[in-house]
């Protein structure tokens, strides 16, 4: 019996050598939950062209950056620029696209627009009732992202509210924020524009509607970059380099635009 299985193993190995049973090539990405749609679309197109699979681990920007530093993924995904201390560790950034951060309210909320100063006052607790901004006489429920989130970092940096937001809930994904706001008539939140669904309402900011066009021309001020993170001096695998070159080429711009964000190239 042992001789039989030994012979069978030899035969299987011989067949693999003849027909090519090499492991399927893969590229691992890790990080920003906001980049789900654009990386998913780029990964599908890349696999269709090359046969190379792109995996996506939605852990949040901070975790994705750390994964690159520790060598646990090929390419990190961040929805914020790298900090000086992260660059000092040997990490480098390549901007893939620009995304608006939509300020979202429940679809039943009569408030349709806010300015940046008012948004800041709401999130720092200076304004606590919707009636103060033209809404119903109801307490405002503040929804945001967890510490380390690129979306939170972008929102707080733009509104000047770092460390001052009085969140009721700090959630771990873009989808969770949208779901929470959709289910609470008094809630306000922020989420990647590319991910916003018709279950919530994106308000204007300073009279400007959040859209690909207004992000591109800079009139919509609540926006941030989508960043690819790699490590200096560490060569990407052949498959990862192919993916990196593909997504940063002009050929990928149409796919990036269809995903609802503005190509950087």
């Amino acid at each position: 019996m042992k001789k039989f299985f030994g012979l069978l193993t030899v035969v299987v190995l011989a067949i693999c050598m003849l027909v090519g049973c090499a492991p399927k090539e893969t590229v691992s990405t890790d990080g920003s939950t906001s980049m789900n749609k654009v990386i998913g679309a780029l990964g599908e197109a890349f696999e269709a062209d090359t046969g190379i699979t792109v995996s996506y681990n939605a852990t949040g920007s901070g975790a994705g950056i750390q994964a690159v530093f520790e060598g646990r993924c090929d390419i990190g995904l961040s929805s914020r620029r790298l900090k000086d201390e992260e660059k000092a560790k040997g990490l480098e950034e390549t901007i893939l696209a620009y995304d608006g951060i939509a300020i979202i309210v429940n679809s039943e909320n009569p408030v349709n627009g806010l300015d940046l100063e008012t948004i800041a006052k709401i999130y720092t607790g200076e304004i606590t009732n919707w009636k103060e901004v033209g809404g119903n006489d109801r307490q405002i429920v503040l929804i945001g992202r967890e510490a380390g989130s690129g979306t939170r970092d972008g929102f707080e940096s733009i509104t000047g509210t770092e460390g001052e937001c009085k969140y009721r809930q700090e959630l771990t994904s873009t989808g969770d924020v949208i779901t929470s706001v959709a289910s609470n008539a008094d809630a306000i939140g922020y989420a990647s524009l590319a991910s916003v669904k018709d279950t919530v309402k994106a308000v204007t900011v300073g009279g400007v509607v959040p859209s690909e066009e207004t992000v591109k021309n800079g009139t919509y001020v609540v926006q941030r970059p989508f960043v690819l993170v790699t490590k200096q001096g560490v060569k990407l695998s052949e498959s990862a380099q192919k993916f990196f070159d593909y997504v940063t080429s002009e050929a990928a711009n149409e796919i990036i635009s269809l995903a609802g964000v503005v190509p950087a190239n």
Side-chain angles (χ1 to χ4, degrees), residues 101-121:
I101 301 176
I103 310 304
I104 57 174
V105 298
N106 187 274
S107 57
E108 296 179 3
N109 193 322
V111 174
N112 294 312
L114 298 166
D115 60 35
L116 204 60
E117 183 180 359
T118 300
I119 293 167
K121 288 180 178 180

Side-chain angles (χ1 to χ4, degrees), residues 23 44 60 74 86 94 114 116 123 159 171 186 198 205 245 248 264:
E44 286 181 11
D74 293 310
E86 292 165 340
T94 302
L114 298 166
L116 204 60
Y123 268 88
T159 56
L171 304 175
D186 303 321
D198 58 9
V205 176
D245 292 342
T248 55

Side-chain angles (χ1 to χ4, degrees), residues 99-103 150-151 154-155 158 190-193 210 220 222-224:
D99 176 52
I101 301 176
I103 310 304
T151 309
F155 171 81
I158 293 164
Y190 50 80
S192 168
L193 178 59
Y220 185 75
V222 193
Q223 59 171 282
R224 43 68 191 275

Side-chain angles (χ1 to χ4, degrees), residues 2 14 38 47 83 89-90 93 107 110 123 128 130 161 184 194 196 198-199 215 222 247-248:
K2 288 183 179 180
V38 66
E47 183 174 0
K83 300 175 181 178
K89 291 180 179 179
E93 64 182 31
S107 57
Y123 268 88
T128 60
W130 281 113
T161 58
N184 189 328
V196 172
D198 58 9
T199 55
V215 169
V222 193
V247 301
T248 55

Side-chain angles (χ1 to χ4, degrees), residues 185-212:
D186 303 321
I188 186 172
Y190 50 80
S192 168
L193 178 59
S195 301
V196 172
K197 305 173 183 177
D198 58 9
T199 55
V200 293
K201 179 170 61 177
V203 301
T204 62
V205 176
V208 180
V209 175
S211 69
E212 181 179 346

Side-chain angles (χ1 to χ4, degrees), residues 169-197:
Q169 289 181 287
E170 298 178 44
L171 304 175
T172 57
S173 76
T174 295
D176 287 344
V177 171
I178 294 170
T179 298
S180 184
V181 173
S183 62
N184 189 328
D186 303 321
I188 186 172
Y190 50 80
S192 168
L193 178 59
S195 301
V196 172
K197 305 173 183 177

